[in-house]
Amino acid sequence: MLVWERAFEGDPWAENSIGWHHSFFWNNIKDGGKFKNASVAEFWFSRAAEHGSPEGRNNLAVLLLDRAADDPSVLSKAWAELMLSALQMTPTAFGHLGRMLKSGYGGFDRTLLGGLLEAVGRQLTFAQYLGDQADDEEDEVAEDESDPIDTHGTGVRYSRLPIRGYFHIETARNIAGLSDSLPAWNLFWLSVDGAEPGTEGPEAFHCRRDAPGALVESLAFDLDRELGLGVTLRDALRMHPRRFLHYFESADLDSMRLSRSPGWRDRVIRKAKEAADRLPEIAEEDAAKIISLPRKHPG
């Protein structure tokens, strides 16, 4: 009953759980068949997907693929949900995308697929780099996240609290899992209102209301665009917010889907100014840094 209550309140984990218990995934569970109801499962997986659950998106796509033989029109929806789940680094979603391509499915945006592969490449590269760094260090010094200056010298955090202070938002938890999370987190924080813990009323950014789709795509694909001054958005988002403002206000934002969201540009400028007034100007540590990756021996 607690799971049902949480599902009706919009908890994506509970919604996905109920969908699971009514889907064909339970075929191998004793007495599981008596709970199967494809319509009910699809309804709850759809709710979980709408609320940003990567598992819900993946599972909804699997249900759609299961009935694609009778209704091929659902393939595009399945692909879209798998792409969103893959953007959140869900391993099984990549497998399903691969199987769709091997089966001959071609109704997809090649640019979007290419951007996804680039995002995965960056994620794997940074994960490998950080793993190599950890092997070289005998003593690991814990980072004090109460300090807005990144102690690794890779940028300035714009939010008042460290990212874990925003874990009531699912997107914050997903961003925290990235190897290079600071630029993505700064863009997210600048782009939304109501993220601060304890925010009440209609402006509160609840865990059940995930980031807009345009923001998710921007976090995956737009961070490495040179939007102006020969500097990528990723590097600009490491700068002190006052320097970021100089970059942002002169940047060409037309290529970003997020730029078409009502009020987004003004919100970013307002919040960047607020962060600039709050954070001290640091001469060295606020500059964008380029991390040179160590050379690997062939083979």
Side-chain angles (χ1 to χ4, degrees):
M1 288 303 297
L2 289 176
V3 175
W4 277 99
E5 289 175 5
R6 289 175 61 181
F8 282 117
E9 290 172 358
D11 183 300
W13 175 87
E15 292 166 338
N16 184 62
S17 179
I18 291 177
W20 178 276
H21 285 79
H22 286 86
S23 70
F24 59 76
F25 299 120
W26 263 40
N27 282 353
N28 60 339
I29 305 296
K30 183 179 179 181
D31 296 330
K34 66 184 181 183
F35 297 106
K36 287 196 301 182
N37 187 315
S39 297
V40 173
E42 186 170 331
F43 172 81
W44 286 106
F45 284 150
S46 296
R47 294 243 314 190
E50 289 170 5
H51 295 150
S53 166
E55 295 82 8
R57 287 167 171 161
N58 178 83
N59 293 340
L60 173 61
V62 172
L63 284 188
L64 295 173
L65 290 173
D66 188 58
R67 62 181 174 90
D70 298 323
D71 183 9
S73 67
V74 302
L75 285 173
S76 59
K77 173 68 172 173
W79 177 268
E81 294 295 342
L82 287 173
M83 285 291 290
L84 288 172
S85 185
L87 285 172
Q88 294 171 286
M89 297 301 158
T90 307
T92 53
F94 286 98
H96 294 311
L97 287 171
R99 280 184 282 277
M100 287 187 72
L101 291 175
K102 287 172 64 178
S103 70
Y105 178 72
F108 56 87
D109 184 334
R110 294 180 183 274
T111 302
L112 194 62
L113 179 60
L116 176 61
L117 294 176
E118 289 176 349
V120 173
R122 290 194 299 270
Q123 174 74 8
L124 293 174
T125 299
F126 273 105
Q128 183 182 43
Y129 169 75
L130 294 177
D132 291 342
Q133 290 292 94
D135 291 340
D136 294 337
E137 296 178 2
E138 294 182 2
D139 299 318
E140 183 175 336
V141 180
E143 179 181 354
D144 180 6
E145 287 191 321
S146 63
D147 186 347
I149 305 302
D150 185 341
T151 56
H152 293 298
T154 56
V156 181
R157 190 189 72 237
Y158 298 172
S159 58
R160 293 180 178 274
L161 300 175
I163 190 170
R164 62 172 174 263
Y166 300 84
F167 275 10
H168 59 290
I169 300 172
E170 183 176 6
T171 307
R173 299 195 296 271
N174 292 330
I175 291 174
L178 299 175
S179 297
D180 187 33
S181 61
L182 181 67
W185 172 247
N186 282 344
L187 180 60
F188 175 85
W189 184 84
L190 290 169
S191 299
V192 304
D193 279 321
E196 304 302 323
T199 305
E200 302 293 340
E203 295 303 315
F205 197 98
H206 296 292
C207 62
R208 72 192 65 167
R209 195 178 99 209
D210 197 32
L215 177 53
V216 174
E217 289 191 23
S218 291
L219 292 172
F221 308 135
D222 291 332
L223 289 179
D224 291 303
R225 293 181 188 271
E226 291 187 5
L227 300 178
L229 307 177
V231 178
T232 65
L233 181 60
R234 181 184 298 276
D235 282 341
L237 285 161
R238 301 184 197 279
M239 300 175 182
H240 186 279
R242 189 167 287 109
R243 292 189 182 185
F244 170 77
L245 266 172
H246 174 70
Y247 169 88
F248 184 80
E249 291 183 308
S250 61
D252 180 5
L253 306 175
D254 291 342
S255 62
M256 295 181 65
R257 279 196 59 197
L258 197 54
S259 66
R260 297 189 283 276
S261 300
W264 173 73
R265 185 178 184 278
D266 292 340
R267 182 163 52 253
V268 170
I269 292 174
R270 168 172 53 81
K271 296 195 71 175
K273 287 180 177 178
E274 182 269 317
D277 291 339
R278 172 167 40 85
L279 295 172
E281 187 87 44
I282 304 295
E284 297 296 332
E285 286 84 347
D286 63 359
K289 301 293 193 302
I290 297 176
I291 300 176
S292 58
L293 300 179
R295 291 182 176 273
K296 293 290 184 183
H297 297 293

PDB file of all heavy atoms in Angstrom, residues 184-208:
ATOM      1  N   ALA A 184      27.653  20.860 -15.935  1.00  0.00           N
ATOM      2  CA  ALA A 184      26.254  20.446 -16.118  1.00  0.00           C
ATOM      3  C   ALA A 184      25.410  20.926 -14.949  1.00  0.00           C
ATOM      4  O   ALA A 184      24.270  21.384 -15.134  1.00  0.00           O
ATOM      5  CB  ALA A 184      26.165  18.931 -16.249  1.00  0.00           C
ATOM      6  N   TRP A 185      25.965  20.824 -13.730  1.00  0.00           N
ATOM      7  CA  TRP A 185      25.197  21.280 -12.570  1.00  0.00           C
ATOM      8  C   TRP A 185      24.982  22.794 -12.606  1.00  0.00           C
ATOM      9  O   TRP A 185      23.885  23.289 -12.331  1.00  0.00           O
ATOM     10  CB  TRP A 185      25.894  20.887 -11.266  1.00  0.00           C
ATOM     11  CG  TRP A 185      25.223  21.504 -10.078  1.00  0.00           C
ATOM     12  CD1 TRP A 185      25.706  22.444  -9.229  1.00  0.00           C
ATOM     13  CD2 TRP A 185      23.880  21.248  -9.641  1.00  0.00           C
ATOM     14  NE1 TRP A 185      24.766  22.797  -8.292  1.00  0.00           N
ATOM     15  CE2 TRP A 185      23.630  22.075  -8.526  1.00  0.00           C
ATOM     16  CE3 TRP A 185      22.862  20.410 -10.096  1.00  0.00           C
ATOM     17  CZ2 TRP A 185      22.419  22.073  -7.850  1.00  0.00           C
ATOM     18  CZ3 TRP A 185      21.628  20.406  -9.424  1.00  0.00           C
ATOM     19  CH2 TRP A 185      21.424  21.231  -8.316  1.00  0.00           C
ATOM     20  N   ASN A 186      26.008  23.556 -12.961  1.00  0.00           N
ATOM     21  CA  ASN A 186      25.841  25.008 -13.025  1.00  0.00           C
ATOM     22  C   ASN A 186      24.791  25.401 -14.056  1.00  0.00           C
ATOM     23  O   ASN A 186      23.986  26.308 -13.817  1.00  0.00           O
ATOM     24  CB  ASN A 186      27.183  25.675 -13.353  1.00  0.00           C
ATOM     25  CG  ASN A 186      28.095  25.764 -12.135  1.00  0.00           C
ATOM     26  OD1 ASN A 186      27.651  25.607 -10.997  1.00  0.00           O
ATOM     27  ND2 ASN A 186      29.371  26.027 -12.369  1.00  0.00           N
ATOM     28  N   LEU A 187      24.785  24.724 -15.217  1.00  0.00           N
ATOM     29  CA  LEU A 187      23.775  25.036 -16.234  1.00  0.00           C
ATOM     30  C   LEU A 187      22.383  24.698 -15.727  1.00  0.00           C
ATOM     31  O   LEU A 187      21.432  25.462 -15.926  1.00  0.00           O
ATOM     32  CB  LEU A 187      24.061  24.284 -17.531  1.00  0.00           C
ATOM     33  CG  LEU A 187      23.053  24.534 -18.664  1.00  0.00           C
ATOM     34  CD1 LEU A 187      23.006  26.002 -19.036  1.00  0.00           C
ATOM     35  CD2 LEU A 187      23.388  23.687 -19.884  1.00  0.00           C
ATOM     36  N   PHE A 188      22.239  23.540 -15.062  1.00  0.00           N
ATOM     37  CA  PHE A 188      20.938  23.173 -14.522  1.00  0.00           C
ATOM     38  C   PHE A 188      20.478  24.206 -13.505  1.00  0.00           C
ATOM     39  O   PHE A 188      19.338  24.682 -13.554  1.00  0.00           O
ATOM     40  CB  PHE A 188      21.016  21.796 -13.863  1.00  0.00           C
ATOM     41  CG  PHE A 188      19.740  21.380 -13.181  1.00  0.00           C
ATOM     42  CD1 PHE A 188      18.725  20.770 -13.894  1.00  0.00           C
ATOM     43  CD2 PHE A 188      19.540  21.619 -11.825  1.00  0.00           C
ATOM     44  CE1 PHE A 188      17.534  20.406 -13.271  1.00  0.00           C
ATOM     45  CE2 PHE A 188      18.365  21.266 -11.203  1.00  0.00           C
ATOM     46  CZ  PHE A 188      17.367  20.655 -11.923  1.00  0.00           C
ATOM     47  N   TRP A 189      21.348  24.574 -12.572  1.00  0.00           N
ATOM     48  CA  TRP A 189      20.966  25.505 -11.504  1.00  0.00           C
ATOM     49  C   TRP A 189      20.578  26.864 -12.086  1.00  0.00           C
ATOM     50  O   TRP A 189      19.613  27.490 -11.643  1.00  0.00           O
ATOM     51  CB  TRP A 189      22.115  25.650 -10.508  1.00  0.00           C
ATOM     52  CG  TRP A 189      21.760  26.506  -9.330  1.00  0.00           C
ATOM     53  CD1 TRP A 189      21.113  26.136  -8.190  1.00  0.00           C
ATOM     54  CD2 TRP A 189      22.019  27.913  -9.194  1.00  0.00           C
ATOM     55  NE1 TRP A 189      20.947  27.216  -7.358  1.00  0.00           N
ATOM     56  CE2 TRP A 189      21.496  28.317  -7.949  1.00  0.00           C
ATOM     57  CE3 TRP A 189      22.636  28.859 -10.006  1.00  0.00           C
ATOM     58  CZ2 TRP A 189      21.580  29.632  -7.494  1.00  0.00           C
ATOM     59  CZ3 TRP A 189      22.722  30.180  -9.562  1.00  0.00           C
ATOM     60  CH2 TRP A 189      22.198  30.551  -8.319  1.00  0.00           C
ATOM     61  N   LEU A 190      21.310  27.312 -13.094  1.00  0.00           N
ATOM     62  CA  LEU A 190      20.985  28.592 -13.727  1.00  0.00           C
ATOM     63  C   LEU A 190      19.657  28.540 -14.479  1.00  0.00           C
ATOM     64  O   LEU A 190      18.981  29.560 -14.627  1.00  0.00           O
ATOM     65  CB  LEU A 190      22.092  28.985 -14.711  1.00  0.00           C
ATOM     66  CG  LEU A 190      23.441  29.390 -14.124  1.00  0.00           C
ATOM     67  CD1 LEU A 190      24.474  29.484 -15.239  1.00  0.00           C
ATOM     68  CD2 LEU A 190      23.349  30.706 -13.374  1.00  0.00           C
ATOM     69  N   SER A 191      19.284  27.359 -14.941  1.00  0.00           N
ATOM     70  CA  SER A 191      18.145  27.227 -15.862  1.00  0.00           C
ATOM     71  C   SER A 191      16.799  27.050 -15.181  1.00  0.00           C
ATOM     72  O   SER A 191      15.763  27.155 -15.840  1.00  0.00           O
ATOM     73  CB  SER A 191      18.377  26.035 -16.804  1.00  0.00           C
ATOM     74  OG  SER A 191      19.532  26.225 -17.587  1.00  0.00           O
ATOM     75  N   VAL A 192      16.784  26.744 -13.878  1.00  0.00           N
ATOM     76  CA  VAL A 192      15.518  26.461 -13.210  1.00  0.00           C
ATOM     77  C   VAL A 192      15.365  27.326 -11.965  1.00  0.00           C
ATOM     78  O   VAL A 192      16.343  27.755 -11.357  1.00  0.00           O
ATOM     79  CB  VAL A 192      15.401  24.969 -12.804  1.00  0.00           C
ATOM     80  CG1 VAL A 192      15.572  24.067 -14.008  1.00  0.00           C
ATOM     81  CG2 VAL A 192      16.409  24.611 -11.720  1.00  0.00           C
ATOM     82  N   ASP A 193      14.133  27.582 -11.616  1.00  0.00           N
ATOM     83  CA  ASP A 193      13.802  28.242 -10.355  1.00  0.00           C
ATOM     84  C   ASP A 193      13.213  27.215  -9.400  1.00  0.00           C
ATOM     85  O   ASP A 193      12.697  26.175  -9.817  1.00  0.00           O
ATOM     86  CB  ASP A 193      12.788  29.369 -10.582  1.00  0.00           C
ATOM     87  CG  ASP A 193      13.460  30.646 -11.070  1.00  0.00           C
ATOM     88  OD1 ASP A 193      14.564  30.962 -10.581  1.00  0.00           O
ATOM     89  OD2 ASP A 193      12.873  31.332 -11.930  1.00  0.00           O
ATOM     90  N   GLY A 194      13.247  27.514  -8.118  1.00  0.00           N
ATOM     91  CA  GLY A 194      12.600  26.661  -7.129  1.00  0.00           C
ATOM     92  C   GLY A 194      13.373  25.426  -6.747  1.00  0.00           C
ATOM     93  O   GLY A 194      12.806  24.504  -6.160  1.00  0.00           O
ATOM     94  N   ALA A 195      14.676  25.380  -7.067  1.00  0.00           N
ATOM     95  CA  ALA A 195      15.456  24.188  -6.752  1.00  0.00           C
ATOM     96  C   ALA A 195      15.921  24.152  -5.300  1.00  0.00           C
ATOM     97  O   ALA A 195      16.243  23.082  -4.785  1.00  0.00           O
ATOM     98  CB  ALA A 195      16.669  24.094  -7.673  1.00  0.00           C
ATOM     99  N   GLU A 196      15.962  25.300  -4.644  1.00  0.00           N
ATOM    100  CA  GLU A 196      16.495  25.347  -3.290  1.00  0.00           C
ATOM    101  C   GLU A 196      15.636  24.516  -2.337  1.00  0.00           C
ATOM    102  O   GLU A 196      14.403  24.582  -2.380  1.00  0.00           O
ATOM    103  CB  GLU A 196      16.568  26.789  -2.783  1.00  0.00           C
ATOM    104  CG  GLU A 196      17.372  27.723  -3.667  1.00  0.00           C
ATOM    105  CD  GLU A 196      18.803  27.254  -3.870  1.00  0.00           C
ATOM    106  OE1 GLU A 196      19.393  26.716  -2.907  1.00  0.00           O
ATOM    107  OE2 GLU A 196      19.327  27.423  -4.984  1.00  0.00           O
ATOM    108  N   PRO A 197      16.259  23.714  -1.476  1.00  0.00           N
ATOM    109  CA  PRO A 197      15.488  22.918  -0.497  1.00  0.00           C
ATOM    110  C   PRO A 197      14.591  23.819   0.342  1.00  0.00           C
ATOM    111  O   PRO A 197      14.994  24.916   0.742  1.00  0.00           O
ATOM    112  CB  PRO A 197      16.582  22.266   0.363  1.00  0.00           C
ATOM    113  CG  PRO A 197      17.798  22.266  -0.494  1.00  0.00           C
ATOM    114  CD  PRO A 197      17.712  23.500  -1.339  1.00  0.00           C
ATOM    115  N   GLY A 198      13.380  23.373   0.582  1.00  0.00           N
ATOM    116  CA  GLY A 198      12.442  24.137   1.384  1.00  0.00           C
ATOM    117  C   GLY A 198      11.583  25.105   0.606  1.00  0.00           C
ATOM    118  O   GLY A 198      10.710  25.757   1.172  1.00  0.00           O
ATOM    119  N   THR A 199      11.828  25.229  -0.720  1.00  0.00           N
ATOM    120  CA  THR A 199      10.984  26.091  -1.545  1.00  0.00           C
ATOM    121  C   THR A 199       9.558  25.559  -1.563  1.00  0.00           C
ATOM    122  O   THR A 199       9.328  24.386  -1.805  1.00  0.00           O
ATOM    123  CB  THR A 199      11.523  26.173  -2.982  1.00  0.00           C
ATOM    124  OG1 THR A 199      12.881  26.608  -2.952  1.00  0.00           O
ATOM    125  CG2 THR A 199      10.691  27.145  -3.816  1.00  0.00           C
ATOM    126  N   GLU A 200       8.597  26.411  -1.275  1.00  0.00           N
ATOM    127  CA  GLU A 200       7.201  25.991  -1.212  1.00  0.00           C
ATOM    128  C   GLU A 200       6.399  26.613  -2.347  1.00  0.00           C
ATOM    129  O   GLU A 200       6.839  27.547  -3.014  1.00  0.00           O
ATOM    130  CB  GLU A 200       6.588  26.403   0.136  1.00  0.00           C
ATOM    131  CG  GLU A 200       7.315  25.844   1.350  1.00  0.00           C
ATOM    132  CD  GLU A 200       7.191  24.330   1.454  1.00  0.00           C
ATOM    133  OE1 GLU A 200       6.271  23.766   0.838  1.00  0.00           O
ATOM    134  OE2 GLU A 200       8.036  23.720   2.140  1.00  0.00           O
ATOM    135  N   GLY A 201       5.186  26.077  -2.523  1.00  0.00           N
ATOM    136  CA  GLY A 201       4.263  26.645  -3.487  1.00  0.00           C
ATOM    137  C   GLY A 201       4.514  26.172  -4.899  1.00  0.00           C
ATOM    138  O   GLY A 201       5.314  25.269  -5.150  1.00  0.00           O
ATOM    139  N   PRO A 202       3.854  26.796  -5.868  1.00  0.00           N
ATOM    140  CA  PRO A 202       3.937  26.335  -7.264  1.00  0.00           C
ATOM    141  C   PRO A 202       5.323  26.485  -7.874  1.00  0.00           C
ATOM    142  O   PRO A 202       5.633  25.851  -8.875  1.00  0.00           O
ATOM    143  CB  PRO A 202       2.917  27.232  -7.986  1.00  0.00           C
ATOM    144  CG  PRO A 202       2.759  28.441  -7.106  1.00  0.00           C
ATOM    145  CD  PRO A 202       2.934  27.937  -5.711  1.00  0.00           C
ATOM    146  N   GLU A 203       6.180  27.328  -7.277  1.00  0.00           N
ATOM    147  CA  GLU A 203       7.516  27.523  -7.827  1.00  0.00           C
ATOM    148  C   GLU A 203       8.494  26.423  -7.410  1.00  0.00           C
ATOM    149  O   GLU A 203       9.608  26.361  -7.910  1.00  0.00           O
ATOM    150  CB  GLU A 203       8.068  28.895  -7.399  1.00  0.00           C
ATOM    151  CG  GLU A 203       7.296  30.077  -7.964  1.00  0.00           C
ATOM    152  CD  GLU A 203       7.245  30.043  -9.484  1.00  0.00           C
ATOM    153  OE1 GLU A 203       8.284  29.788 -10.104  1.00  0.00           O
ATOM    154  OE2 GLU A 203       6.159  30.259 -10.041  1.00  0.00           O
ATOM    155  N   ALA A 204       8.110  25.582  -6.446  1.00  0.00           N
ATOM    156  CA  ALA A 204       9.018  24.540  -5.964  1.00  0.00           C
ATOM    157  C   ALA A 204       9.314  23.540  -7.075  1.00  0.00           C
ATOM    158  O   ALA A 204       8.421  23.109  -7.798  1.00  0.00           O
ATOM    159  CB  ALA A 204       8.415  23.838  -4.756  1.00  0.00           C
ATOM    160  N   PHE A 205      10.565  23.171  -7.208  1.00  0.00           N
ATOM    161  CA  PHE A 205      10.979  22.190  -8.209  1.00  0.00           C
ATOM    162  C   PHE A 205      11.010  20.831  -7.520  1.00  0.00           C
ATOM    163  O   PHE A 205      11.990  20.462  -6.888  1.00  0.00           O
ATOM    164  CB  PHE A 205      12.369  22.547  -8.752  1.00  0.00           C
ATOM    165  CG  PHE A 205      12.706  21.860 -10.036  1.00  0.00           C
ATOM    166  CD1 PHE A 205      12.542  22.500 -11.241  1.00  0.00           C
ATOM    167  CD2 PHE A 205      13.181  20.562 -10.039  1.00  0.00           C
ATOM    168  CE1 PHE A 205      12.868  21.870 -12.434  1.00  0.00           C
ATOM    169  CE2 PHE A 205      13.505  19.924 -11.220  1.00  0.00           C
ATOM    170  CZ  PHE A 205      13.342  20.581 -12.423  1.00  0.00           C
ATOM    171  N   HIS A 206       9.920  20.084  -7.608  1.00  0.00           N
ATOM    172  CA  HIS A 206       9.788  18.829  -6.880  1.00  0.00           C
ATOM    173  C   HIS A 206      10.492  17.700  -7.611  1.00  0.00           C
ATOM    174  O   HIS A 206      10.729  17.754  -8.813  1.00  0.00           O
ATOM    175  CB  HIS A 206       8.314  18.468  -6.692  1.00  0.00           C
ATOM    176  CG  HIS A 206       7.578  19.457  -5.843  1.00  0.00           C
ATOM    177  ND1 HIS A 206       7.814  19.617  -4.504  1.00  0.00           N
ATOM    178  CD2 HIS A 206       6.613  20.347  -6.150  1.00  0.00           C
ATOM    179  CE1 HIS A 206       7.020  20.557  -4.016  1.00  0.00           C
ATOM    180  NE2 HIS A 206       6.283  21.018  -5.005  1.00  0.00           N
ATOM    181  N   CYS A 207      10.798  16.638  -6.866  1.00  0.00           N
ATOM    182  CA  CYS A 207      11.465  15.481  -7.462  1.00  0.00           C
ATOM    183  C   CYS A 207      10.591  14.841  -8.529  1.00  0.00           C
ATOM    184  O   CYS A 207      11.080  14.189  -9.434  1.00  0.00           O
ATOM    185  CB  CYS A 207      11.813  14.454  -6.383  1.00  0.00           C
ATOM    186  SG  CYS A 207      10.392  13.777  -5.507  1.00  0.00           S
ATOM    187  N   ARG A 208       9.281  15.028  -8.441  1.00  0.00           N
ATOM    188  CA  ARG A 208       8.391  14.388  -9.407  1.00  0.00           C
ATOM    189  C   ARG A 208       8.307  15.193 -10.709  1.00  0.00           C
ATOM    190  O   ARG A 208       7.679  14.774 -11.656  1.00  0.00           O
ATOM    191  CB  ARG A 208       7.009  14.225  -8.793  1.00  0.00           C
ATOM    192  CG  ARG A 208       6.231  15.535  -8.638  1.00  0.00           C
ATOM    193  CD  ARG A 208       4.998  15.399  -7.779  1.00  0.00           C
ATOM    194  NE  ARG A 208       5.340  15.074  -6.418  1.00  0.00           N
ATOM    195  CZ  ARG A 208       4.477  15.134  -5.403  1.00  0.00           C
ATOM    196  NH1 ARG A 208       3.249  15.479  -5.624  1.00  0.00           N
ATOM    197  NH2 ARG A 208       4.851  14.848  -4.186  1.00  0.00           N
TER     198      ARG A 208
END
